[in-house]
Amino acid sequence: MTAEEVCPVVLQVRGVVLPEREERSFWIDGDRLRTDPVPHADLVVDGGWLLPGLVDVHTHPGTEGIEDPFSDEVLRRHLVDHRDAGVLLVRTPGSAARMPGWVDEDPDMPRVRSAGRWLATPGRFFPGFGRDVSEADLVHAAVEEAKASSGWCKVIGDWKHSEPALPLEILTAVVQAVHMAGGRVAAHCQTAEGSRNAVLAGVDSLEHGMHLDPDLIGRMAAQGTAFVPTLSVFGATADQRRAGAPSSTRDWWLAGWEGMLPNVSAAHEAGVTVLAGTDSFPCGTVTSEIEWLVHAGLPAEAALGAASWSARSWLGLPGLVDGAPADLVAYDTDPTIDTSVLAHPTRIILRGRVVS
């Protein structure tokens, strides 16, 4: 038995904690933060700025294309990419397969909140990429996926702009059943009808929300529907779309994109929980989503919170307080003043262990 096994090393960190902007010290006991001092602890962060580990609330690790099968090897690589960027908690709203058990057991992996497999009714997704179900079977399937995952299920609420969205009465029944089972519903929506139905049905998170009617933002705030706009994945192709040949699809897409930034700003102002999700590859790029949220008009602190403390609270985890998971990222300077420092963490601690 080694000396460390007899008396495990206790780590100490100290710095200015966000969002409170208070200088604090924590001692890491196992995988938990503690505020009671421990003599002779190993000081691994001395000064700077401390954040709860970053969060990507819309990422799909495990496969990179509709032709690629879900792979544990790819999943591990994607999660490591997240971790090495300081993203220590991810939500996977839909996947080609349910998360394997080793994800939660591996201390080197970020914490994962999954939503099981995408639930797609006929004509509303890539065939066979998620879980294809009939409209009649959707309620049962949604409850099943929520119970088999981290309490979430993901419903494809619409697909092609020329096709009807999932009917409001069916999506409403899904939300009611999943809520009765103690779960939550994320809805993919990129058409006006789909976004409208998702809000009226009372989903817990609106994913993308293209063509969202701004008159529905107040209802989102009142009922607690979060907005995950995934701006970076849309913004990455906006110029290419504008340069493309005119078509009904191009015009529809551009009209939706033009409304997204104003809607994100209006949602924040109305008190909607706006969160950061990338929905793109490579993994570990949530900082680009933070920058897009700032571009949309969110204050830098709110945009950073959307990928850190606010996202953690929404997913049921605390920030940097006594007893919280020891998942944190340290920076030399205040990242709310210069978000570019987010790409250069000075220390990453996951589950009480120093990653870098």
Side-chain angles (χ1 to χ4, degrees):
M1 183 176 292
T2 67
E4 287 187 357
E5 289 173 321
V6 174
C7 184
V9 174
V10 174
L11 305 180
Q12 181 186 358
V13 299
R14 62 187 176 205
V16 178
V17 172
L18 287 174
E20 295 84 357
R21 295 186 175 275
E22 297 176 354
E23 187 167 353
R24 296 179 186 169
S25 288
F26 295 100
W27 288 262
I28 298 175
D29 181 11
D31 68 346
R32 298 284 142 176
L33 296 176
R34 301 298 177 189
T35 54
D36 291 336
V38 177
H40 311 299
D42 186 2
L43 184 61
V44 294
V45 179
D46 187 10
W49 298 77
L50 306 179
L51 273 69
L54 299 180
V55 185
D56 189 332
V57 301
H58 189 126
T59 179
H60 303 294
T63 183
E64 295 183 351
I66 60 173
E67 303 298 328
D68 302 327
F70 186 89
S71 160
D72 278 17
E73 180 182 353
V74 175
L75 174 62
R76 185 179 296 276
R77 173 165 55 83
H78 285 166
L79 291 177
V80 167
D81 287 344
H82 277 303
R83 182 201 67 192
D84 290 349
V87 177
L88 307 183
L89 172 63
V90 301
R91 183 185 64 140
T92 63
S95 176
R98 292 175 182 162
M99 288 293 111
W102 61 260
V103 171
D104 292 328
E105 299 168 359
D106 192 330
D108 292 326
M109 296 295 104
R111 301 178 196 270
V112 177
R113 297 293 182 268
S114 66
R117 290 169 287 180
W118 289 284
L119 293 170
T121 49
R124 295 193 179 99
F125 201 43
F126 303 109
F129 195 49
R131 178 178 174 181
D132 295 327
V133 297
S134 68
E135 291 185 356
D137 292 336
L138 182 59
V139 171
H140 173 77
V143 172
E144 189 174 61
E145 290 298 327
K147 288 183 175 180
S149 66
S150 301
W152 281 90
C153 70
K154 170 71 170 293
V155 176
I156 305 299
D158 59 26
W159 197 235
K160 297 179 181 179
H161 70 95
S162 57
E163 299 290 336
L166 183 68
L168 172 59
E169 61 272 18
I170 295 176
L171 188 52
T172 300
V174 166
V175 171
Q176 291 173 345
V178 172
H179 285 179
M180 284 287 290
R184 294 202 275 181
V185 180
H188 162 101
C189 298
Q190 57 190 24
T191 69
E193 182 188 15
S195 294
R196 169 186 173 276
N197 288 355
V199 175
L200 295 183
V203 301
D204 298 281
S205 67
L206 180 64
E207 311 294 319
H208 314 304
M210 228 182 186
H211 295 275
L212 172 67
D213 182 348
D215 289 341
L216 293 170
I217 288 174
R219 179 162 180 155
M220 292 175 66
Q223 68 191 21
T225 296
F227 190 11
V228 187
T230 63
L231 294 174
S232 51
V233 71
F234 289 106
T237 62
D239 289 342
Q240 180 182 349
R241 295 270 188 171
R242 290 191 190 94
S247 69
S248 60
T249 298
R250 169 187 174 274
D251 294 344
W252 164 81
W253 193 96
L254 289 174
W257 169 243
E258 292 302 321
M260 287 191 76
L261 270 63
N263 274 349
V264 169
S265 178
H268 171 72
E269 290 296 326
V272 173
T273 298
V274 177
L275 298 171
T278 57
D279 190 30
S280 63
F281 300 101
C283 292
T285 58
V286 78
T287 55
S288 66
E289 186 67 16
I290 295 170
E291 293 171 357
W292 271 105
L293 292 175
V294 172
H295 184 60
L298 267 65
E301 188 160 320
L304 182 53
S308 181
W309 55 86
S310 298
R312 285 179 169 271
S313 175
W314 184 70
L315 289 170
L317 288 174
L320 300 183
V321 296
D322 186 68
D327 301 336
L328 62 88
V329 190
Y331 301 93
D332 283 334
T333 57
D334 184 352
T336 67
I337 294 176
D338 179 8
T339 57
S340 69
V341 305
L342 293 169
H344 306 287
T346 56
R347 186 74 74 197
I348 299 172
I349 296 176
L350 170 64
R351 303 176 191 259
R353 302 168 63 199
V354 175
V355 173
S356 66

PDB file of all heavy atoms in Angstrom, residues 263-299:
ATOM      1  N   ASN A 263     -34.012  37.006 -32.267  1.00  0.00           N
ATOM      2  CA  ASN A 263     -34.815  36.191 -31.367  1.00  0.00           C
ATOM      3  C   ASN A 263     -34.029  35.770 -30.125  1.00  0.00           C
ATOM      4  O   ASN A 263     -34.574  35.720 -29.020  1.00  0.00           O
ATOM      5  CB  ASN A 263     -35.338  34.951 -32.087  1.00  0.00           C
ATOM      6  CG  ASN A 263     -36.633  35.210 -32.835  1.00  0.00           C
ATOM      7  OD1 ASN A 263     -37.268  36.253 -32.667  1.00  0.00           O
ATOM      8  ND2 ASN A 263     -37.027  34.267 -33.675  1.00  0.00           N
ATOM      9  N   VAL A 264     -32.762  35.457 -30.307  1.00  0.00           N
ATOM     10  CA  VAL A 264     -31.929  35.077 -29.162  1.00  0.00           C
ATOM     11  C   VAL A 264     -31.800  36.248 -28.201  1.00  0.00           C
ATOM     12  O   VAL A 264     -31.934  36.097 -26.979  1.00  0.00           O
ATOM     13  CB  VAL A 264     -30.550  34.595 -29.635  1.00  0.00           C
ATOM     14  CG1 VAL A 264     -29.588  34.463 -28.463  1.00  0.00           C
ATOM     15  CG2 VAL A 264     -30.679  33.265 -30.357  1.00  0.00           C
ATOM     16  N   SER A 265     -31.560  37.434 -28.746  1.00  0.00           N
ATOM     17  CA  SER A 265     -31.463  38.623 -27.902  1.00  0.00           C
ATOM     18  C   SER A 265     -32.776  38.902 -27.181  1.00  0.00           C
ATOM     19  O   SER A 265     -32.799  39.164 -25.969  1.00  0.00           O
ATOM     20  CB  SER A 265     -31.063  39.836 -28.754  1.00  0.00           C
ATOM     21  OG  SER A 265     -30.995  41.004 -27.973  1.00  0.00           O
ATOM     22  N   ALA A 266     -33.888  38.815 -27.911  1.00  0.00           N
ATOM     23  CA  ALA A 266     -35.192  39.061 -27.309  1.00  0.00           C
ATOM     24  C   ALA A 266     -35.515  38.015 -26.249  1.00  0.00           C
ATOM     25  O   ALA A 266     -36.113  38.336 -25.205  1.00  0.00           O
ATOM     26  CB  ALA A 266     -36.271  39.058 -28.392  1.00  0.00           C
ATOM     27  N   ALA A 267     -35.136  36.771 -26.491  1.00  0.00           N
ATOM     28  CA  ALA A 267     -35.386  35.721 -25.516  1.00  0.00           C
ATOM     29  C   ALA A 267     -34.630  35.991 -24.220  1.00  0.00           C
ATOM     30  O   ALA A 267     -35.186  35.857 -23.116  1.00  0.00           O
ATOM     31  CB  ALA A 267     -34.982  34.361 -26.095  1.00  0.00           C
ATOM     32  N   HIS A 268     -33.377  36.381 -24.340  1.00  0.00           N
ATOM     33  CA  HIS A 268     -32.601  36.712 -23.137  1.00  0.00           C
ATOM     34  C   HIS A 268     -33.247  37.865 -22.382  1.00  0.00           C
ATOM     35  O   HIS A 268     -33.390  37.808 -21.154  1.00  0.00           O
ATOM     36  CB  HIS A 268     -31.163  37.055 -23.514  1.00  0.00           C
ATOM     37  CG  HIS A 268     -30.371  37.605 -22.374  1.00  0.00           C
ATOM     38  ND1 HIS A 268     -29.944  36.827 -21.317  1.00  0.00           N
ATOM     39  CD2 HIS A 268     -29.942  38.879 -22.111  1.00  0.00           C
ATOM     40  CE1 HIS A 268     -29.281  37.584 -20.456  1.00  0.00           C
ATOM     41  NE2 HIS A 268     -29.266  38.824 -20.913  1.00  0.00           N
ATOM     42  N   GLU A 269     -33.637  38.889 -23.096  1.00  0.00           N
ATOM     43  CA  GLU A 269     -34.251  40.059 -22.453  1.00  0.00           C
ATOM     44  C   GLU A 269     -35.564  39.685 -21.763  1.00  0.00           C
ATOM     45  O   GLU A 269     -35.928  40.273 -20.737  1.00  0.00           O
ATOM     46  CB  GLU A 269     -34.493  41.157 -23.488  1.00  0.00           C
ATOM     47  CG  GLU A 269     -33.226  41.809 -24.011  1.00  0.00           C
ATOM     48  CD  GLU A 269     -32.471  42.556 -22.928  1.00  0.00           C
ATOM     49  OE1 GLU A 269     -33.129  43.128 -22.022  1.00  0.00           O
ATOM     50  OE2 GLU A 269     -31.228  42.558 -22.971  1.00  0.00           O
ATOM     51  N   ALA A 270     -36.271  38.699 -22.310  1.00  0.00           N
ATOM     52  CA  ALA A 270     -37.563  38.295 -21.746  1.00  0.00           C
ATOM     53  C   ALA A 270     -37.412  37.341 -20.571  1.00  0.00           C
ATOM     54  O   ALA A 270     -38.416  37.003 -19.921  1.00  0.00           O
ATOM     55  CB  ALA A 270     -38.413  37.643 -22.835  1.00  0.00           C
ATOM     56  N   GLY A 271     -36.205  36.883 -20.300  1.00  0.00           N
ATOM     57  CA  GLY A 271     -35.986  35.976 -19.186  1.00  0.00           C
ATOM     58  C   GLY A 271     -35.981  34.507 -19.552  1.00  0.00           C
ATOM     59  O   GLY A 271     -35.994  33.640 -18.674  1.00  0.00           O
ATOM     60  N   VAL A 272     -35.945  34.200 -20.850  1.00  0.00           N
ATOM     61  CA  VAL A 272     -35.814  32.815 -21.290  1.00  0.00           C
ATOM     62  C   VAL A 272     -34.393  32.329 -20.975  1.00  0.00           C
ATOM     63  O   VAL A 272     -33.427  33.078 -21.127  1.00  0.00           O
ATOM     64  CB  VAL A 272     -36.088  32.690 -22.803  1.00  0.00           C
ATOM     65  CG1 VAL A 272     -35.790  31.284 -23.308  1.00  0.00           C
ATOM     66  CG2 VAL A 272     -37.531  33.069 -23.109  1.00  0.00           C
ATOM     67  N   THR A 273     -34.276  31.090 -20.551  1.00  0.00           N
ATOM     68  CA  THR A 273     -32.960  30.493 -20.352  1.00  0.00           C
ATOM     69  C   THR A 273     -32.360  30.166 -21.717  1.00  0.00           C
ATOM     70  O   THR A 273     -32.826  29.260 -22.403  1.00  0.00           O
ATOM     71  CB  THR A 273     -33.055  29.213 -19.506  1.00  0.00           C
ATOM     72  OG1 THR A 273     -33.582  29.543 -18.217  1.00  0.00           O
ATOM     73  CG2 THR A 273     -31.686  28.573 -19.340  1.00  0.00           C
ATOM     74  N   VAL A 274     -31.352  30.928 -22.124  1.00  0.00           N
ATOM     75  CA  VAL A 274     -30.651  30.705 -23.385  1.00  0.00           C
ATOM     76  C   VAL A 274     -29.376  29.937 -23.071  1.00  0.00           C
ATOM     77  O   VAL A 274     -28.599  30.330 -22.199  1.00  0.00           O
ATOM     78  CB  VAL A 274     -30.321  32.030 -24.089  1.00  0.00           C
ATOM     79  CG1 VAL A 274     -29.530  31.782 -25.365  1.00  0.00           C
ATOM     80  CG2 VAL A 274     -31.600  32.809 -24.392  1.00  0.00           C
ATOM     81  N   LEU A 275     -29.157  28.832 -23.799  1.00  0.00           N
ATOM     82  CA  LEU A 275     -28.045  27.947 -23.492  1.00  0.00           C
ATOM     83  C   LEU A 275     -27.172  27.704 -24.716  1.00  0.00           C
ATOM     84  O   LEU A 275     -27.620  27.858 -25.853  1.00  0.00           O
ATOM     85  CB  LEU A 275     -28.568  26.609 -22.965  1.00  0.00           C
ATOM     86  CG  LEU A 275     -29.379  26.708 -21.664  1.00  0.00           C
ATOM     87  CD1 LEU A 275     -30.047  25.377 -21.349  1.00  0.00           C
ATOM     88  CD2 LEU A 275     -28.490  27.142 -20.504  1.00  0.00           C
ATOM     89  N   ALA A 276     -25.938  27.298 -24.473  1.00  0.00           N
ATOM     90  CA  ALA A 276     -24.944  27.131 -25.535  1.00  0.00           C
ATOM     91  C   ALA A 276     -24.842  25.672 -25.949  1.00  0.00           C
ATOM     92  O   ALA A 276     -24.568  24.791 -25.135  1.00  0.00           O
ATOM     93  CB  ALA A 276     -23.578  27.634 -25.060  1.00  0.00           C
ATOM     94  N   GLY A 277     -25.060  25.425 -27.231  1.00  0.00           N
ATOM     95  CA  GLY A 277     -24.886  24.094 -27.796  1.00  0.00           C
ATOM     96  C   GLY A 277     -24.312  24.222 -29.190  1.00  0.00           C
ATOM     97  O   GLY A 277     -24.631  25.170 -29.917  1.00  0.00           O
ATOM     98  N   THR A 278     -23.479  23.276 -29.583  1.00  0.00           N
ATOM     99  CA  THR A 278     -22.752  23.427 -30.843  1.00  0.00           C
ATOM    100  C   THR A 278     -23.359  22.647 -32.002  1.00  0.00           C
ATOM    101  O   THR A 278     -23.337  23.121 -33.133  1.00  0.00           O
ATOM    102  CB  THR A 278     -21.292  22.978 -30.672  1.00  0.00           C
ATOM    103  OG1 THR A 278     -21.260  21.617 -30.213  1.00  0.00           O
ATOM    104  CG2 THR A 278     -20.570  23.868 -29.668  1.00  0.00           C
ATOM    105  N   ASP A 279     -23.841  21.435 -31.759  1.00  0.00           N
ATOM    106  CA  ASP A 279     -24.426  20.601 -32.816  1.00  0.00           C
ATOM    107  C   ASP A 279     -23.487  20.458 -34.016  1.00  0.00           C
ATOM    108  O   ASP A 279     -23.923  20.438 -35.158  1.00  0.00           O
ATOM    109  CB  ASP A 279     -25.768  21.200 -33.274  1.00  0.00           C
ATOM    110  CG  ASP A 279     -26.538  20.257 -34.195  1.00  0.00           C
ATOM    111  OD1 ASP A 279     -26.383  19.029 -34.036  1.00  0.00           O
ATOM    112  OD2 ASP A 279     -27.266  20.731 -35.081  1.00  0.00           O
ATOM    113  N   SER A 280     -22.201  20.407 -33.781  1.00  0.00           N
ATOM    114  CA  SER A 280     -21.268  20.367 -34.907  1.00  0.00           C
ATOM    115  C   SER A 280     -19.971  19.696 -34.479  1.00  0.00           C
ATOM    116  O   SER A 280     -19.747  19.407 -33.303  1.00  0.00           O
ATOM    117  CB  SER A 280     -20.987  21.779 -35.428  1.00  0.00           C
ATOM    118  OG  SER A 280     -20.342  22.561 -34.430  1.00  0.00           O
ATOM    119  N   PHE A 281     -19.125  19.472 -35.453  1.00  0.00           N
ATOM    120  CA  PHE A 281     -17.807  18.894 -35.216  1.00  0.00           C
ATOM    121  C   PHE A 281     -16.754  19.868 -35.734  1.00  0.00           C
ATOM    122  O   PHE A 281     -17.033  20.640 -36.648  1.00  0.00           O
ATOM    123  CB  PHE A 281     -17.693  17.540 -35.928  1.00  0.00           C
ATOM    124  CG  PHE A 281     -18.711  16.552 -35.443  1.00  0.00           C
ATOM    125  CD1 PHE A 281     -19.849  16.293 -36.182  1.00  0.00           C
ATOM    126  CD2 PHE A 281     -18.549  15.924 -34.224  1.00  0.00           C
ATOM    127  CE1 PHE A 281     -20.801  15.397 -35.731  1.00  0.00           C
ATOM    128  CE2 PHE A 281     -19.487  15.023 -33.758  1.00  0.00           C
ATOM    129  CZ  PHE A 281     -20.630  14.756 -34.513  1.00  0.00           C
ATOM    130  N   PRO A 282     -15.560  19.874 -35.165  1.00  0.00           N
ATOM    131  CA  PRO A 282     -15.109  18.967 -34.111  1.00  0.00           C
ATOM    132  C   PRO A 282     -15.749  19.280 -32.766  1.00  0.00           C
ATOM    133  O   PRO A 282     -16.272  20.387 -32.565  1.00  0.00           O
ATOM    134  CB  PRO A 282     -13.598  19.222 -34.068  1.00  0.00           C
ATOM    135  CG  PRO A 282     -13.461  20.642 -34.514  1.00  0.00           C
ATOM    136  CD  PRO A 282     -14.513  20.836 -35.564  1.00  0.00           C
ATOM    137  N   CYS A 283     -15.727  18.319 -31.853  1.00  0.00           N
ATOM    138  CA  CYS A 283     -16.229  18.552 -30.506  1.00  0.00           C
ATOM    139  C   CYS A 283     -15.244  19.433 -29.732  1.00  0.00           C
ATOM    140  O   CYS A 283     -14.078  19.543 -30.098  1.00  0.00           O
ATOM    141  CB  CYS A 283     -16.437  17.225 -29.793  1.00  0.00           C
ATOM    142  SG  CYS A 283     -17.777  16.225 -30.489  1.00  0.00           S
ATOM    143  N   GLY A 284     -15.730  20.038 -28.677  1.00  0.00           N
ATOM    144  CA  GLY A 284     -14.878  20.905 -27.874  1.00  0.00           C
ATOM    145  C   GLY A 284     -14.811  22.332 -28.376  1.00  0.00           C
ATOM    146  O   GLY A 284     -13.854  23.050 -28.092  1.00  0.00           O
ATOM    147  N   THR A 285     -15.851  22.781 -29.100  1.00  0.00           N
ATOM    148  CA  THR A 285     -15.834  24.127 -29.688  1.00  0.00           C
ATOM    149  C   THR A 285     -16.940  25.012 -29.126  1.00  0.00           C
ATOM    150  O   THR A 285     -17.413  25.914 -29.802  1.00  0.00           O
ATOM    151  CB  THR A 285     -15.971  24.048 -31.219  1.00  0.00           C
ATOM    152  OG1 THR A 285     -17.196  23.360 -31.544  1.00  0.00           O
ATOM    153  CG2 THR A 285     -14.798  23.311 -31.834  1.00  0.00           C
ATOM    154  N   VAL A 286     -17.332  24.762 -27.890  1.00  0.00           N
ATOM    155  CA  VAL A 286     -18.437  25.550 -27.339  1.00  0.00           C
ATOM    156  C   VAL A 286     -18.066  27.028 -27.197  1.00  0.00           C
ATOM    157  O   VAL A 286     -18.944  27.890 -27.142  1.00  0.00           O
ATOM    158  CB  VAL A 286     -18.898  24.959 -25.989  1.00  0.00           C
ATOM    159  CG1 VAL A 286     -17.942  25.341 -24.857  1.00  0.00           C
ATOM    160  CG2 VAL A 286     -20.325  25.398 -25.654  1.00  0.00           C
ATOM    161  N   THR A 287     -16.773  27.335 -27.165  1.00  0.00           N
ATOM    162  CA  THR A 287     -16.376  28.739 -27.090  1.00  0.00           C
ATOM    163  C   THR A 287     -16.861  29.518 -28.308  1.00  0.00           C
ATOM    164  O   THR A 287     -17.155  30.706 -28.214  1.00  0.00           O
ATOM    165  CB  THR A 287     -14.854  28.880 -26.950  1.00  0.00           C
ATOM    166  OG1 THR A 287     -14.216  28.183 -28.022  1.00  0.00           O
ATOM    167  CG2 THR A 287     -14.383  28.303 -25.622  1.00  0.00           C
ATOM    168  N   SER A 288     -16.964  28.853 -29.469  1.00  0.00           N
ATOM    169  CA  SER A 288     -17.478  29.546 -30.652  1.00  0.00           C
ATOM    170  C   SER A 288     -18.955  29.880 -30.472  1.00  0.00           C
ATOM    171  O   SER A 288     -19.425  30.927 -30.949  1.00  0.00           O
ATOM    172  CB  SER A 288     -17.282  28.698 -31.906  1.00  0.00           C
ATOM    173  OG  SER A 288     -18.070  27.507 -31.859  1.00  0.00           O
ATOM    174  N   GLU A 289     -19.690  29.034 -29.784  1.00  0.00           N
ATOM    175  CA  GLU A 289     -21.102  29.323 -29.523  1.00  0.00           C
ATOM    176  C   GLU A 289     -21.239  30.485 -28.545  1.00  0.00           C
ATOM    177  O   GLU A 289     -22.136  31.322 -28.690  1.00  0.00           O
ATOM    178  CB  GLU A 289     -21.806  28.077 -28.974  1.00  0.00           C
ATOM    179  CG  GLU A 289     -23.307  28.231 -28.812  1.00  0.00           C
ATOM    180  CD  GLU A 289     -24.076  28.374 -30.128  1.00  0.00           C
ATOM    181  OE1 GLU A 289     -23.501  28.049 -31.202  1.00  0.00           O
ATOM    182  OE2 GLU A 289     -25.239  28.805 -30.091  1.00  0.00           O
ATOM    183  N   ILE A 290     -20.357  30.559 -27.567  1.00  0.00           N
ATOM    184  CA  ILE A 290     -20.355  31.696 -26.650  1.00  0.00           C
ATOM    185  C   ILE A 290     -20.159  32.999 -27.424  1.00  0.00           C
ATOM    186  O   ILE A 290     -20.861  33.994 -27.200  1.00  0.00           O
ATOM    187  CB  ILE A 290     -19.256  31.523 -25.582  1.00  0.00           C
ATOM    188  CG1 ILE A 290     -19.555  30.314 -24.691  1.00  0.00           C
ATOM    189  CG2 ILE A 290     -19.107  32.789 -24.743  1.00  0.00           C
ATOM    190  CD1 ILE A 290     -18.411  29.924 -23.778  1.00  0.00           C
ATOM    191  N   GLU A 291     -19.219  32.987 -28.356  1.00  0.00           N
ATOM    192  CA  GLU A 291     -18.966  34.185 -29.158  1.00  0.00           C
ATOM    193  C   GLU A 291     -20.179  34.563 -29.997  1.00  0.00           C
ATOM    194  O   GLU A 291     -20.505  35.750 -30.148  1.00  0.00           O
ATOM    195  CB  GLU A 291     -17.734  33.960 -30.033  1.00  0.00           C
ATOM    196  CG  GLU A 291     -16.438  33.845 -29.236  1.00  0.00           C
ATOM    197  CD  GLU A 291     -15.271  33.398 -30.086  1.00  0.00           C
ATOM    198  OE1 GLU A 291     -15.474  33.128 -31.288  1.00  0.00           O
ATOM    199  OE2 GLU A 291     -14.143  33.316 -29.550  1.00  0.00           O
ATOM    200  N   TRP A 292     -20.880  33.565 -30.542  1.00  0.00           N
ATOM    201  CA  TRP A 292     -22.087  33.856 -31.314  1.00  0.00           C
ATOM    202  C   TRP A 292     -23.191  34.424 -30.422  1.00  0.00           C
ATOM    203  O   TRP A 292     -23.947  35.319 -30.841  1.00  0.00           O
ATOM    204  CB  TRP A 292     -22.578  32.605 -32.039  1.00  0.00           C
ATOM    205  CG  TRP A 292     -21.971  32.446 -33.397  1.00  0.00           C
ATOM    206  CD1 TRP A 292     -21.005  31.576 -33.782  1.00  0.00           C
ATOM    207  CD2 TRP A 292     -22.294  33.211 -34.566  1.00  0.00           C
ATOM    208  NE1 TRP A 292     -20.694  31.742 -35.114  1.00  0.00           N
ATOM    209  CE2 TRP A 292     -21.475  32.739 -35.626  1.00  0.00           C
ATOM    210  CE3 TRP A 292     -23.192  34.245 -34.829  1.00  0.00           C
ATOM    211  CZ2 TRP A 292     -21.532  33.263 -36.915  1.00  0.00           C
ATOM    212  CZ3 TRP A 292     -23.252  34.771 -36.115  1.00  0.00           C
ATOM    213  CH2 TRP A 292     -22.431  34.289 -37.140  1.00  0.00           C
ATOM    214  N   LEU A 293     -23.304  33.934 -29.203  1.00  0.00           N
ATOM    215  CA  LEU A 293     -24.310  34.476 -28.294  1.00  0.00           C
ATOM    216  C   LEU A 293     -24.001  35.940 -27.964  1.00  0.00           C
ATOM    217  O   LEU A 293     -24.921  36.762 -27.869  1.00  0.00           O
ATOM    218  CB  LEU A 293     -24.372  33.642 -27.017  1.00  0.00           C
ATOM    219  CG  LEU A 293     -24.919  32.216 -27.186  1.00  0.00           C
ATOM    220  CD1 LEU A 293     -24.815  31.452 -25.865  1.00  0.00           C
ATOM    221  CD2 LEU A 293     -26.363  32.216 -27.682  1.00  0.00           C
ATOM    222  N   VAL A 294     -22.728  36.262 -27.809  1.00  0.00           N
ATOM    223  CA  VAL A 294     -22.340  37.659 -27.607  1.00  0.00           C
ATOM    224  C   VAL A 294     -22.696  38.481 -28.835  1.00  0.00           C
ATOM    225  O   VAL A 294     -23.228  39.591 -28.738  1.00  0.00           O
ATOM    226  CB  VAL A 294     -20.837  37.761 -27.278  1.00  0.00           C
ATOM    227  CG1 VAL A 294     -20.389  39.223 -27.271  1.00  0.00           C
ATOM    228  CG2 VAL A 294     -20.536  37.104 -25.937  1.00  0.00           C
ATOM    229  N   HIS A 295     -22.413  37.918 -30.007  1.00  0.00           N
ATOM    230  CA  HIS A 295     -22.744  38.610 -31.263  1.00  0.00           C
ATOM    231  C   HIS A 295     -24.247  38.850 -31.382  1.00  0.00           C
ATOM    232  O   HIS A 295     -24.679  39.857 -31.946  1.00  0.00           O
ATOM    233  CB  HIS A 295     -22.241  37.780 -32.437  1.00  0.00           C
ATOM    234  CG  HIS A 295     -22.433  38.428 -33.778  1.00  0.00           C
ATOM    235  ND1 HIS A 295     -21.876  39.652 -34.109  1.00  0.00           N
ATOM    236  CD2 HIS A 295     -23.125  38.028 -34.885  1.00  0.00           C
ATOM    237  CE1 HIS A 295     -22.217  39.978 -35.350  1.00  0.00           C
ATOM    238  NE2 HIS A 295     -22.980  39.009 -35.836  1.00  0.00           N
ATOM    239  N   ALA A 296     -25.031  37.942 -30.831  1.00  0.00           N
ATOM    240  CA  ALA A 296     -26.486  38.098 -30.880  1.00  0.00           C
ATOM    241  C   ALA A 296     -26.987  39.162 -29.919  1.00  0.00           C
ATOM    242  O   ALA A 296     -28.152  39.576 -30.018  1.00  0.00           O
ATOM    243  CB  ALA A 296     -27.159  36.767 -30.556  1.00  0.00           C
ATOM    244  N   GLY A 297     -26.149  39.594 -28.994  1.00  0.00           N
ATOM    245  CA  GLY A 297     -26.555  40.661 -28.091  1.00  0.00           C
ATOM    246  C   GLY A 297     -26.549  40.305 -26.629  1.00  0.00           C
ATOM    247  O   GLY A 297     -26.872  41.159 -25.782  1.00  0.00           O
ATOM    248  N   LEU A 298     -26.199  39.068 -26.263  1.00  0.00           N
ATOM    249  CA  LEU A 298     -26.127  38.728 -24.852  1.00  0.00           C
ATOM    250  C   LEU A 298     -24.907  39.383 -24.219  1.00  0.00           C
ATOM    251  O   LEU A 298     -23.834  39.436 -24.838  1.00  0.00           O
ATOM    252  CB  LEU A 298     -26.031  37.212 -24.654  1.00  0.00           C
ATOM    253  CG  LEU A 298     -27.345  36.452 -24.452  1.00  0.00           C
ATOM    254  CD1 LEU A 298     -28.203  36.530 -25.710  1.00  0.00           C
ATOM    255  CD2 LEU A 298     -27.074  35.008 -24.048  1.00  0.00           C
ATOM    256  N   PRO A 299     -25.021  39.878 -22.992  1.00  0.00           N
ATOM    257  CA  PRO A 299     -23.820  40.317 -22.284  1.00  0.00           C
ATOM    258  C   PRO A 299     -22.837  39.160 -22.176  1.00  0.00           C
ATOM    259  O   PRO A 299     -23.237  37.987 -22.098  1.00  0.00           O
ATOM    260  CB  PRO A 299     -24.357  40.717 -20.899  1.00  0.00           C
ATOM    261  CG  PRO A 299     -25.817  40.967 -21.104  1.00  0.00           C
ATOM    262  CD  PRO A 299     -26.248  40.035 -22.196  1.00  0.00           C
TER     263      PRO A 299
END
